[in-house]
Amino acid sequence: MRSLISPRLLLREWEEKDAAFVLDMYSRREVMRYLGADPQVLTDLAGAQARLTAWRDRQDDVHTVWAVQDRQTGRLLGTAFLVRLLSSGTPLTRADETEVGWHLHPDAWGQGYATEAGAAVLSYAARSGIKPVLAVVNPANEASQAVCRRLGMRRVGSTDRYYNMTCELYST
Ligand SMILES: CC(C)(COP(=O)(O)OP(=O)(O)OC[C@H]1O[C@@H](n2cnc3c(N)ncnc32)[C@H](O)[C@@H]1OP(=O)(O)O)[C@@H](O)C(=O)NCCC(=O)NCCS
């Protein structure tokens, strides 16, 4: 169990009982709109459970997909992850490079939680010897690019190497 702690947050592994929250969050267009080349909102619990399974499949000794929760109240806020990027192609294939990412429930936007969770994940990556860590962001996703900048990541350029889409590429 690779939990991480920051001043306001606990990052813990996802559990089956979180499927309802996953459905609530990823059924929202405003959450999904910049994720991947062909974003599909979740429509049922089976889809949420499949997503939990897919996240587990992307984990290894170091790479992890965390549930982000409020340390004080236990309220779930979203997802933070450190995973191998997926290279463009059909199907997508696992790349050697590692990416950091963040998805928050809209109720948790505008409070610095993504930046706080991202900082905890980048510290964990540094402790684990993973360097550099990349972030790939839809060019229209200003909020996420602002998180990258707050974390001190630098924009490297634009790339279509990952996820069958053109992304802004940031690096630690
Ligand atoms: C990307 C996403 C996580 C950014 O969320 P966010 O709330 O803007 O980012 P943060 O959690 O870092 O919060 C920063 C905001 O909180 C404010 N804030 C309030 N209290 C704060 C605190 N204690 N510390 C830092 N910032 C704080 C900041 O001023 C900033 O607001 P602003 O953008 O109006 O200036 C969110 O838009 C999202 O989940 N989108 C859908 C999924 C997605 O696209 N993910 C990225 C894929 S690449």
mmCIF file of all heavy atoms in Angstrom, residues 64-107:
data_model
loop_
_atom_site.group_PDB
_atom_site.id
_atom_site.type_symbol
_atom_site.label_atom_id
_atom_site.label_comp_id
_atom_site.label_asym_id
_atom_site.label_seq_id
_atom_site.Cartn_x
_atom_site.Cartn_y
_atom_site.Cartn_z
ATOM 1 N N THR A 64 1.704 4.127 -9.778
ATOM 2 C CA THR A 64 0.493 3.985 -8.963
ATOM 3 C C THR A 64 -0.576 4.973 -9.434
ATOM 4 O O THR A 64 -0.249 6.066 -9.895
ATOM 5 C CB THR A 64 0.822 4.308 -7.476
ATOM 6 O OG1 THR A 64 1.947 3.534 -7.060
ATOM 7 C CG2 THR A 64 -0.341 4.009 -6.564
ATOM 8 N N VAL A 65 -1.820 4.560 -9.305
ATOM 9 C CA VAL A 65 -2.951 5.473 -9.485
ATOM 10 C C VAL A 65 -3.624 5.618 -8.120
ATOM 11 O O VAL A 65 -4.096 4.625 -7.560
ATOM 12 C CB VAL A 65 -3.959 4.930 -10.512
ATOM 13 C CG1 VAL A 65 -5.115 5.920 -10.693
ATOM 14 C CG2 VAL A 65 -3.275 4.643 -11.851
ATOM 15 N N TRP A 66 -3.635 6.824 -7.581
ATOM 16 C CA TRP A 66 -4.137 7.060 -6.227
ATOM 17 C C TRP A 66 -5.523 7.714 -6.234
ATOM 18 O O TRP A 66 -5.807 8.557 -7.092
ATOM 19 C CB TRP A 66 -3.221 8.027 -5.466
ATOM 20 C CG TRP A 66 -1.890 7.525 -5.078
ATOM 21 C CD1 TRP A 66 -1.552 6.841 -3.937
ATOM 22 C CD2 TRP A 66 -0.645 7.720 -5.786
ATOM 23 N NE1 TRP A 66 -0.197 6.593 -3.911
ATOM 24 C CE2 TRP A 66 0.378 7.115 -5.030
ATOM 25 C CE3 TRP A 66 -0.310 8.326 -6.997
ATOM 26 C CZ2 TRP A 66 1.718 7.110 -5.434
ATOM 27 C CZ3 TRP A 66 1.015 8.315 -7.409
ATOM 28 C CH2 TRP A 66 2.006 7.722 -6.637
ATOM 29 N N ALA A 67 -6.286 7.381 -5.211
ATOM 30 C CA ALA A 67 -7.466 8.163 -4.847
ATOM 31 C C ALA A 67 -6.983 9.309 -3.963
ATOM 32 O O ALA A 67 -6.181 9.089 -3.046
ATOM 33 C CB ALA A 67 -8.442 7.291 -4.070
ATOM 34 N N VAL A 68 -7.456 10.517 -4.259
ATOM 35 C CA VAL A 68 -7.082 11.689 -3.456
ATOM 36 C C VAL A 68 -8.236 11.991 -2.514
ATOM 37 O O VAL A 68 -9.378 12.179 -2.966
ATOM 38 C CB VAL A 68 -6.815 12.912 -4.362
ATOM 39 C CG1 VAL A 68 -6.462 14.133 -3.517
ATOM 40 C CG2 VAL A 68 -5.720 12.605 -5.375
ATOM 41 N N GLN A 69 -7.958 12.028 -1.224
ATOM 42 C CA GLN A 69 -9.029 12.369 -0.293
ATOM 43 C C GLN A 69 -8.592 13.414 0.718
ATOM 44 O O GLN A 69 -7.402 13.594 0.986
ATOM 45 C CB GLN A 69 -9.591 11.115 0.380
ATOM 46 C CG GLN A 69 -8.743 10.448 1.407
ATOM 47 C CD GLN A 69 -9.474 9.272 2.071
ATOM 48 O OE1 GLN A 69 -9.988 8.383 1.398
ATOM 49 N NE2 GLN A 69 -9.511 9.260 3.386
ATOM 50 N N ASP A 70 -9.588 14.132 1.228
ATOM 51 C CA ASP A 70 -9.368 15.131 2.273
ATOM 52 C C ASP A 70 -8.963 14.389 3.545
ATOM 53 O O ASP A 70 -9.684 13.516 4.008
ATOM 54 C CB ASP A 70 -10.676 15.915 2.470
ATOM 55 C CG ASP A 70 -10.537 17.043 3.469
ATOM 56 O OD1 ASP A 70 -10.033 16.792 4.592
ATOM 57 O OD2 ASP A 70 -10.953 18.159 3.149
ATOM 58 N N ARG A 71 -7.789 14.752 4.093
ATOM 59 C CA ARG A 71 -7.282 14.035 5.273
ATOM 60 C C ARG A 71 -8.211 14.160 6.461
ATOM 61 O O ARG A 71 -8.348 13.237 7.248
ATOM 62 C CB ARG A 71 -5.936 14.629 5.700
ATOM 63 C CG ARG A 71 -4.761 13.920 5.117
ATOM 64 C CD ARG A 71 -3.493 14.647 5.489
ATOM 65 N NE ARG A 71 -3.058 14.333 6.841
ATOM 66 C CZ ARG A 71 -1.896 14.744 7.344
ATOM 67 N NH1 ARG A 71 -1.093 15.484 6.600
ATOM 68 N NH2 ARG A 71 -1.550 14.426 8.562
ATOM 69 N N GLN A 72 -8.834 15.354 6.600
ATOM 70 C CA GLN A 72 -9.639 15.587 7.801
ATOM 71 C C GLN A 72 -11.001 14.940 7.725
ATOM 72 O O GLN A 72 -11.460 14.317 8.669
ATOM 73 C CB GLN A 72 -9.796 17.092 8.024
ATOM 74 C CG GLN A 72 -8.557 17.684 8.656
ATOM 75 C CD GLN A 72 -8.844 19.021 9.288
ATOM 76 O OE1 GLN A 72 -9.583 19.820 8.720
ATOM 77 N NE2 GLN A 72 -8.259 19.260 10.440
ATOM 78 N N THR A 73 -11.648 15.092 6.553
ATOM 79 C CA THR A 73 -13.034 14.616 6.454
ATOM 80 C C THR A 73 -13.148 13.251 5.805
ATOM 81 O O THR A 73 -14.196 12.604 5.898
ATOM 82 C CB THR A 73 -13.878 15.598 5.609
ATOM 83 O OG1 THR A 73 -13.359 15.578 4.261
ATOM 84 C CG2 THR A 73 -13.798 17.013 6.158
ATOM 85 N N GLY A 74 -12.115 12.814 5.092
ATOM 86 C CA GLY A 74 -12.188 11.555 4.360
ATOM 87 C C GLY A 74 -12.908 11.677 3.031
ATOM 88 O O GLY A 74 -13.025 10.700 2.291
ATOM 89 N N ARG A 75 -13.374 12.883 2.694
ATOM 90 C CA ARG A 75 -14.107 13.076 1.437
ATOM 91 C C ARG A 75 -13.192 12.837 0.240
ATOM 92 O O ARG A 75 -12.060 13.346 0.200
ATOM 93 C CB ARG A 75 -14.641 14.517 1.384
ATOM 94 C CG ARG A 75 -15.467 14.849 0.157
ATOM 95 C CD ARG A 75 -16.142 16.211 0.335
ATOM 96 N NE ARG A 75 -15.187 17.311 0.306
ATOM 97 C CZ ARG A 75 -15.055 18.172 -0.705
ATOM 98 N NH1 ARG A 75 -15.816 18.075 -1.780
ATOM 99 N NH2 ARG A 75 -14.175 19.162 -0.644
ATOM 100 N N LEU A 76 -13.676 12.045 -0.724
ATOM 101 C CA LEU A 76 -12.902 11.812 -1.943
ATOM 102 C C LEU A 76 -12.929 13.061 -2.819
ATOM 103 O O LEU A 76 -13.981 13.693 -2.990
ATOM 104 C CB LEU A 76 -13.477 10.623 -2.712
ATOM 105 C CG LEU A 76 -12.996 9.250 -2.225
ATOM 106 C CD1 LEU A 76 -13.845 8.136 -2.832
ATOM 107 C CD2 LEU A 76 -11.525 9.038 -2.563
ATOM 108 N N LEU A 77 -11.773 13.409 -3.389
ATOM 109 C CA LEU A 77 -11.646 14.624 -4.190
ATOM 110 C C LEU A 77 -11.293 14.328 -5.639
ATOM 111 O O LEU A 77 -11.602 15.135 -6.519
ATOM 112 C CB LEU A 77 -10.553 15.519 -3.591
ATOM 113 C CG LEU A 77 -10.712 15.895 -2.112
ATOM 114 C CD1 LEU A 77 -9.474 16.627 -1.618
ATOM 115 C CD2 LEU A 77 -11.964 16.747 -1.906
ATOM 116 N N GLY A 78 -10.616 13.205 -5.899
ATOM 117 C CA GLY A 78 -10.221 12.929 -7.284
ATOM 118 C C GLY A 78 -9.137 11.871 -7.378
ATOM 119 O O GLY A 78 -8.992 11.023 -6.498
ATOM 120 N N THR A 79 -8.366 11.981 -8.457
ATOM 121 C CA THR A 79 -7.353 10.986 -8.834
ATOM 122 C C THR A 79 -6.019 11.688 -9.054
ATOM 123 O O THR A 79 -5.984 12.785 -9.629
ATOM 124 C CB THR A 79 -7.750 10.324 -10.176
ATOM 125 O OG1 THR A 79 -9.075 9.827 -10.072
ATOM 126 C CG2 THR A 79 -6.805 9.199 -10.548
ATOM 127 N N ALA A 80 -4.934 11.053 -8.619
ATOM 128 C CA ALA A 80 -3.590 11.497 -8.995
ATOM 129 C C ALA A 80 -2.819 10.255 -9.404
ATOM 130 O O ALA A 80 -3.061 9.177 -8.857
ATOM 131 C CB ALA A 80 -2.897 12.190 -7.827
ATOM 132 N N PHE A 81 -1.934 10.395 -10.376
ATOM 133 C CA PHE A 81 -1.261 9.192 -10.835
ATOM 134 C C PHE A 81 0.168 9.437 -11.293
ATOM 135 O O PHE A 81 0.546 10.547 -11.683
ATOM 136 C CB PHE A 81 -2.069 8.502 -11.945
ATOM 137 C CG PHE A 81 -2.426 9.382 -13.110
ATOM 138 C CD1 PHE A 81 -1.534 9.580 -14.153
ATOM 139 C CD2 PHE A 81 -3.660 10.017 -13.161
ATOM 140 C CE1 PHE A 81 -1.869 10.375 -15.233
ATOM 141 C CE2 PHE A 81 -4.002 10.814 -14.241
ATOM 142 C CZ PHE A 81 -3.101 11.001 -15.275
ATOM 143 N N LEU A 82 0.946 8.365 -11.196
ATOM 144 C CA LEU A 82 2.293 8.293 -11.751
ATOM 145 C C LEU A 82 2.313 6.975 -12.520
ATOM 146 O O LEU A 82 2.328 5.905 -11.909
ATOM 147 C CB LEU A 82 3.330 8.283 -10.617
ATOM 148 C CG LEU A 82 4.783 8.363 -11.068
ATOM 149 C CD1 LEU A 82 5.125 9.796 -11.500
ATOM 150 C CD2 LEU A 82 5.728 7.926 -9.949
ATOM 151 N N VAL A 83 2.248 7.065 -13.838
ATOM 152 C CA VAL A 83 2.129 5.848 -14.667
ATOM 153 C C VAL A 83 3.032 5.962 -15.888
ATOM 154 O O VAL A 83 3.500 7.059 -16.233
ATOM 155 C CB VAL A 83 0.665 5.619 -15.152
ATOM 156 C CG1 VAL A 83 -0.252 5.302 -13.989
ATOM 157 C CG2 VAL A 83 0.151 6.802 -15.953
ATOM 158 N N ARG A 84 3.273 4.824 -16.527
ATOM 159 C CA ARG A 84 3.964 4.848 -17.811
ATOM 160 C C ARG A 84 3.051 5.503 -18.838
ATOM 161 O O ARG A 84 1.845 5.220 -18.876
ATOM 162 C CB ARG A 84 4.244 3.428 -18.274
ATOM 163 C CG ARG A 84 5.185 2.707 -17.344
ATOM 164 C CD ARG A 84 6.535 2.548 -17.984
ATOM 165 N NE ARG A 84 7.370 1.702 -17.162
ATOM 166 C CZ ARG A 84 8.619 1.993 -16.841
ATOM 167 N NH1 ARG A 84 9.178 3.120 -17.259
ATOM 168 N NH2 ARG A 84 9.321 1.163 -16.113
ATOM 169 N N LEU A 85 3.610 6.374 -19.662
ATOM 170 C CA LEU A 85 2.841 6.937 -20.769
ATOM 171 C C LEU A 85 2.455 5.834 -21.745
ATOM 172 O O LEU A 85 3.090 4.771 -21.779
ATOM 173 C CB LEU A 85 3.689 7.980 -21.491
ATOM 174 C CG LEU A 85 3.661 9.363 -20.855
ATOM 175 C CD1 LEU A 85 4.918 10.135 -21.213
ATOM 176 C CD2 LEU A 85 2.427 10.126 -21.315
ATOM 177 N N LEU A 86 1.428 6.081 -22.540
ATOM 178 C CA LEU A 86 1.041 5.146 -23.588
ATOM 179 C C LEU A 86 1.362 5.779 -24.940
ATOM 180 O O LEU A 86 0.927 6.903 -25.237
ATOM 181 C CB LEU A 86 -0.449 4.805 -23.477
ATOM 182 C CG LEU A 86 -0.850 4.078 -22.172
ATOM 183 C CD1 LEU A 86 -2.345 3.806 -22.143
ATOM 184 C CD2 LEU A 86 -0.065 2.770 -21.998
ATOM 185 N N SER A 87 2.157 5.061 -25.745
ATOM 186 C CA SER A 87 2.581 5.564 -27.055
ATOM 187 C C SER A 87 1.440 5.498 -28.055
ATOM 188 O O SER A 87 0.635 4.551 -28.037
ATOM 189 C CB SER A 87 3.739 4.721 -27.593
ATOM 190 O OG SER A 87 4.866 4.857 -26.775
ATOM 191 N N SER A 88 1.409 6.487 -28.947
ATOM 192 C CA SER A 88 0.394 6.515 -30.006
ATOM 193 C C SER A 88 0.480 5.255 -30.863
ATOM 194 O O SER A 88 1.554 4.666 -31.028
ATOM 195 C CB SER A 88 0.601 7.747 -30.891
ATOM 196 O OG SER A 88 0.341 8.915 -30.155
ATOM 197 N N GLY A 89 -0.646 4.850 -31.413
ATOM 198 C CA GLY A 89 -0.722 3.652 -32.250
ATOM 199 C C GLY A 89 -2.018 2.938 -31.951
ATOM 200 O O GLY A 89 -2.773 3.350 -31.067
ATOM 201 N N THR A 90 -2.296 1.886 -32.713
ATOM 202 C CA THR A 90 -3.498 1.094 -32.463
ATOM 203 C C THR A 90 -3.088 -0.353 -32.285
ATOM 204 O O THR A 90 -2.656 -0.968 -33.257
ATOM 205 C CB THR A 90 -4.482 1.206 -33.639
ATOM 206 O OG1 THR A 90 -4.643 2.588 -33.983
ATOM 207 C CG2 THR A 90 -5.818 0.615 -33.277
ATOM 208 N N PRO A 91 -3.135 -0.910 -31.062
ATOM 209 C CA PRO A 91 -3.566 -0.216 -29.852
ATOM 210 C C PRO A 91 -2.451 0.669 -29.297
ATOM 211 O O PRO A 91 -1.309 0.596 -29.751
ATOM 212 C CB PRO A 91 -3.837 -1.390 -28.899
ATOM 213 C CG PRO A 91 -2.836 -2.439 -29.304
ATOM 214 C CD PRO A 91 -2.709 -2.302 -30.812
ATOM 215 N N LEU A 92 -2.799 1.483 -28.283
ATOM 216 C CA LEU A 92 -1.782 2.233 -27.545
ATOM 217 C C LEU A 92 -0.858 1.225 -26.861
ATOM 218 O O LEU A 92 -1.322 0.180 -26.397
ATOM 219 C CB LEU A 92 -2.452 3.107 -26.473
ATOM 220 C CG LEU A 92 -3.382 4.208 -26.962
ATOM 221 C CD1 LEU A 92 -4.151 4.812 -25.785
ATOM 222 C CD2 LEU A 92 -2.620 5.292 -27.704
ATOM 223 N N THR A 93 0.446 1.523 -26.813
ATOM 224 C CA THR A 93 1.376 0.596 -26.153
ATOM 225 C C THR A 93 2.147 1.322 -25.065
ATOM 226 O O THR A 93 2.353 2.545 -25.149
ATOM 227 C CB THR A 93 2.386 0.007 -27.160
ATOM 228 O OG1 THR A 93 2.996 1.089 -27.859
ATOM 229 C CG2 THR A 93 1.702 -0.949 -28.117
ATOM 230 N N ARG A 94 2.579 0.568 -24.065
ATOM 231 C CA ARG A 94 3.261 1.168 -22.921
ATOM 232 C C ARG A 94 4.606 1.746 -23.340
ATOM 233 O O ARG A 94 5.417 1.057 -23.959
ATOM 234 C CB ARG A 94 3.466 0.074 -21.865
ATOM 235 C CG ARG A 94 3.915 0.595 -20.541
ATOM 236 C CD ARG A 94 3.886 -0.507 -19.505
ATOM 237 N NE ARG A 94 2.510 -0.906 -19.191
ATOM 238 C CZ ARG A 94 2.159 -1.571 -18.097
ATOM 239 N NH1 ARG A 94 3.076 -1.913 -17.210
ATOM 240 N NH2 ARG A 94 0.923 -1.890 -17.875
ATOM 241 N N ALA A 95 4.857 3.003 -22.995
ATOM 242 C CA ALA A 95 6.135 3.664 -23.302
ATOM 243 C C ALA A 95 7.077 3.520 -22.107
ATOM 244 O O ALA A 95 6.667 3.100 -21.025
ATOM 245 C CB ALA A 95 5.887 5.138 -23.603
ATOM 246 N N ASP A 96 8.342 3.880 -22.305
ATOM 247 C CA ASP A 96 9.300 3.835 -21.195
ATOM 248 C C ASP A 96 9.141 5.036 -20.265
ATOM 249 O O ASP A 96 9.478 4.971 -19.087
ATOM 250 C CB ASP A 96 10.744 3.836 -21.734
ATOM 251 C CG ASP A 96 11.084 2.514 -22.391
ATOM 252 O OD1 ASP A 96 10.439 1.503 -22.047
ATOM 253 O OD2 ASP A 96 11.973 2.516 -23.261
ATOM 254 N N GLU A 97 8.645 6.142 -20.816
ATOM 255 C CA GLU A 97 8.586 7.371 -20.021
ATOM 256 C C GLU A 97 7.428 7.331 -19.020
ATOM 257 O O GLU A 97 6.418 6.660 -19.239
ATOM 258 C CB GLU A 97 8.390 8.586 -20.929
ATOM 259 C CG GLU A 97 9.473 8.788 -21.967
ATOM 260 C CD GLU A 97 9.136 8.143 -23.298
ATOM 261 O OE1 GLU A 97 8.395 7.129 -23.306
ATOM 262 O OE2 GLU A 97 9.608 8.658 -24.323
ATOM 263 N N THR A 98 7.602 8.111 -17.945
ATOM 264 C CA THR A 98 6.612 8.167 -16.866
ATOM 265 C C THR A 98 5.910 9.520 -16.876
ATOM 266 O O THR A 98 6.555 10.554 -17.056
ATOM 267 C CB THR A 98 7.310 7.957 -15.510
ATOM 268 O OG1 THR A 98 7.775 6.607 -15.451
ATOM 269 C CG2 THR A 98 6.378 8.215 -14.342
ATOM 270 N N GLU A 99 4.596 9.486 -16.664
ATOM 271 C CA GLU A 99 3.834 10.741 -16.588
ATOM 272 C C GLU A 99 3.187 10.901 -15.221
ATOM 273 O O GLU A 99 2.846 9.925 -14.552
ATOM 274 C CB GLU A 99 2.750 10.796 -17.664
ATOM 275 C CG GLU A 99 1.630 9.807 -17.450
ATOM 276 C CD GLU A 99 0.397 10.074 -18.313
ATOM 277 O OE1 GLU A 99 -0.013 11.242 -18.463
ATOM 278 O OE2 GLU A 99 -0.167 9.086 -18.812
ATOM 279 N N VAL A 100 3.016 12.156 -14.834
ATOM 280 C CA VAL A 100 2.231 12.511 -13.657
ATOM 281 C C VAL A 100 0.917 13.110 -14.163
ATOM 282 O O VAL A 100 0.880 13.721 -15.224
ATOM 283 C CB VAL A 100 2.998 13.518 -12.767
ATOM 284 C CG1 VAL A 100 3.307 14.822 -13.501
ATOM 285 C CG2 VAL A 100 2.227 13.822 -11.483
ATOM 286 N N GLY A 101 -0.172 12.901 -13.387
ATOM 287 C CA GLY A 101 -1.441 13.484 -13.806
ATOM 288 C C GLY A 101 -2.397 13.657 -12.645
ATOM 289 O O GLY A 101 -2.161 13.139 -11.530
ATOM 290 N N TRP A 102 -3.476 14.409 -12.914
ATOM 291 C CA TRP A 102 -4.441 14.780 -11.865
ATOM 292 C C TRP A 102 -5.806 14.982 -12.490
ATOM 293 O O TRP A 102 -5.949 15.589 -13.550
ATOM 294 C CB TRP A 102 -3.979 16.083 -11.182
ATOM 295 C CG TRP A 102 -3.284 16.989 -12.159
ATOM 296 C CD1 TRP A 102 -3.861 17.759 -13.134
ATOM 297 C CD2 TRP A 102 -1.865 17.149 -12.328
ATOM 298 N NE1 TRP A 102 -2.891 18.414 -13.878
ATOM 299 C CE2 TRP A 102 -1.669 18.050 -13.409
ATOM 300 C CE3 TRP A 102 -0.750 16.641 -11.665
ATOM 301 C CZ2 TRP A 102 -0.395 18.443 -13.839
ATOM 302 C CZ3 TRP A 102 0.510 17.027 -12.104
ATOM 303 C CH2 TRP A 102 0.666 17.924 -13.164
ATOM 304 N N HIS A 103 -6.816 14.440 -11.849
ATOM 305 C CA HIS A 103 -8.215 14.643 -12.245
ATOM 306 C C HIS A 103 -8.967 14.913 -10.953
ATOM 307 O O HIS A 103 -8.934 14.079 -10.040
ATOM 308 C CB HIS A 103 -8.832 13.380 -12.865
ATOM 309 C CG HIS A 103 -8.080 12.785 -14.003
ATOM 310 N ND1 HIS A 103 -8.125 11.435 -14.302
ATOM 311 C CD2 HIS A 103 -7.255 13.355 -14.929
ATOM 312 C CE1 HIS A 103 -7.376 11.195 -15.371
ATOM 313 N NE2 HIS A 103 -6.829 12.331 -15.766
ATOM 314 N N LEU A 104 -9.648 16.037 -10.860
ATOM 315 C CA LEU A 104 -10.415 16.334 -9.647
ATOM 316 C C LEU A 104 -11.903 16.406 -9.958
ATOM 317 O O LEU A 104 -12.309 16.817 -11.051
ATOM 318 C CB LEU A 104 -9.996 17.681 -9.045
ATOM 319 C CG LEU A 104 -8.596 17.800 -8.452
ATOM 320 C CD1 LEU A 104 -8.412 19.206 -7.873
ATOM 321 C CD2 LEU A 104 -8.347 16.745 -7.374
ATOM 322 N N HIS A 105 -12.696 16.059 -8.971
ATOM 323 C CA HIS A 105 -14.143 16.290 -9.036
ATOM 324 C C HIS A 105 -14.357 17.808 -9.081
ATOM 325 O O HIS A 105 -13.675 18.547 -8.341
ATOM 326 C CB HIS A 105 -14.798 15.696 -7.786
ATOM 327 C CG HIS A 105 -16.290 15.654 -7.867
ATOM 328 N ND1 HIS A 105 -17.067 16.785 -7.806
ATOM 329 C CD2 HIS A 105 -17.142 14.620 -8.017
ATOM 330 C CE1 HIS A 105 -18.337 16.446 -7.908
ATOM 331 N NE2 HIS A 105 -18.408 15.135 -8.046
ATOM 332 N N PRO A 106 -15.282 18.301 -9.900
ATOM 333 C CA PRO A 106 -15.476 19.763 -9.988
ATOM 334 C C PRO A 106 -15.712 20.434 -8.632
ATOM 335 O O PRO A 106 -15.331 21.595 -8.448
ATOM 336 C CB PRO A 106 -16.697 19.902 -10.911
ATOM 337 C CG PRO A 106 -16.623 18.682 -11.782
ATOM 338 C CD PRO A 106 -16.082 17.575 -10.910
ATOM 339 N N ASP A 107 -16.309 19.730 -7.677
ATOM 340 C CA ASP A 107 -16.513 20.327 -6.342
ATOM 341 C C ASP A 107 -15.189 20.661 -5.661
ATOM 342 O O ASP A 107 -15.170 21.420 -4.686
ATOM 343 C CB ASP A 107 -17.281 19.356 -5.426
ATOM 344 C CG ASP A 107 -18.722 19.170 -5.860
ATOM 345 O OD1 ASP A 107 -19.182 19.932 -6.734
ATOM 346 O OD2 ASP A 107 -19.381 18.251 -5.326
#
